Amino acid sequence: MRPRVLVVEDDDDIRSVMAEALEAEGYEVAGARDGAEAQRRARECRPDLILLDLMMPGMDGWAFRAWQRADAALCDVPVVIVSATPPADSAGLDAVAHLQKSFTLEDLFREVLLRARGGEAGRVPFPDLERDPAGPRPGAGARPAADARTSS
């Protein structure tokens, strides 16, 4: 079974780029536009990792994370914050990492590879990152940067 990643992002373009890139690398991806939709999707697919934007209309990332931490079935799913906010803004959320927009696809892949649950047998390898946990060497199979600039 492929590892599942839930991408919670209100910007359709950013969510689409992240989902397509992860799917191309062998991950099963579900998407949500806000925290309320993320609640439904998380219950349906039981993700191995959640990529969570903080500033979203409706239920924002802070409210979703509070709900998730209180949900016995989902509280142990690791969360990587993916937001334009500085890392200090997510300090109390008990996230495993914070990717500040804008980021590269290499940054995204590194966090997913390091954080997705399921042990080594359950992970989909990224060849350049498998050789060097610190990341690929400059110019060695580097993927193009994600255009993840946004104010949300």
Side-chain angles (χ1 to χ4, degrees):
M1 178 154 70
R2 299 183 306 160
R4 291 184 201 106
V5 178
L6 175 58
V7 178
V8 186
E9 167 64 60
D10 62 314
D11 184 294
D12 293 338
D13 293 334
I14 295 172
R15 188 176 62 255
S16 178
V17 166
M18 290 182 359
E20 288 175 17
L22 290 168
E23 287 171 345
E25 295 294 335
Y27 285 84
E28 184 178 322
V29 179
R33 291 185 176 161
D34 60 28
E37 184 178 0
Q39 288 176 322
R40 291 187 299 277
R41 300 303 303 257
R43 287 184 187 121
E44 292 169 3
C45 76
R46 181 60 168 100
D48 297 302
L49 180 69
I50 298 171
L51 301 175
L52 179 64
D53 188 15
L54 294 178
M55 298 188 310
M56 299 178 289
M59 178 185 262
D60 63 23
W62 289 278
F64 172 81
R65 184 69 174 129
W67 169 84
Q68 185 218 352
R69 290 169 74 182
D71 186 286
L74 297 167
C75 64
D76 64 332
V77 176
V79 171
V80 173
I81 302 299
V82 180
S83 182
T85 64
D89 288 358
S90 65
L93 295 178
D94 195 30
V96 296
H98 184 116
L99 277 177
Q100 190 167 0
K101 296 175 184 172
S102 85
F103 54 87
T104 66
L105 289 178
E106 286 296 339
D107 295 333
L108 178 68
F109 294 146
R110 184 177 304 110
E111 290 304 328
V112 171
L113 179 65
L114 291 172
R115 311 301 179 175
R117 295 179 317 129
E120 292 305 313
R123 294 196 181 146
V124 176
F126 299 112
D128 293 326
L129 297 178
E130 283 291 302
R131 273 185 264 160
D132 182 0
R137 297 171 310 286
R143 292 174 177 90
D147 185 12
R149 290 183 175 91
T150 183
S151 61
S152 57

